[in-house]
Amino acid sequence: PTGKLTYTADVKSIIDSRCIGCHGNPLTNGAPFALLTYAQVNDQASSTLTRISIPAGETGIMPPTGGPLSQTDINTIDQWIKDGKLE
């Protein structure tokens, strides 16, 4: 993508497809917080990036099932944070 990344255009689809299965409503599998809205994702962005960046097979990686996020998806979330977490 060109220009700064936004939650709506670039990040929401990743979160919706890979995270809200547990971080939804209701929370499941021990998820401690929801990731349903921009505000929720914005508040948890740094910790989420840390957890999705853990190497496959290591303790604490997110998501815990379904395999790790692609490096492209991780890079997208990282760039969104660097761009200022625009909505």
Side-chain angles (χ1 to χ4, degrees):
T2 59
K4 292 188 176 189
L5 302 185
T6 68
Y7 171 75
T8 302
D10 304 294
V11 174
K12 185 178 186 312
S13 62
I14 299 167
I15 300 297
D16 287 354
S17 67
R18 298 301 309 274
C19 304
I20 64 170
C22 295
H23 293 272
N25 183 14
L27 298 171
T28 60
N29 296 324
F33 52 82
L35 292 173
L36 292 169
T37 67
Y38 164 76
Q40 292 167 334
V41 175
N42 182 48
D43 288 346
Q44 298 295 329
S46 294
S47 63
T48 298
L49 179 62
T50 297
R51 296 292 296 273
I52 64 174
S53 298
I54 294 172
E58 296 286 324
T59 301
I61 187 172
M62 289 289 133
T65 61
L69 269 68
S70 70
Q71 191 60 51
T72 299
D73 288 347
I74 293 169
N75 292 347
T76 297
I77 293 170
D78 183 40
Q79 189 61 51
W80 171 68
I81 292 168
K82 289 176 181 173
D83 285 349
K85 299 188 282 183
L86 302 173
E87 190 169 3

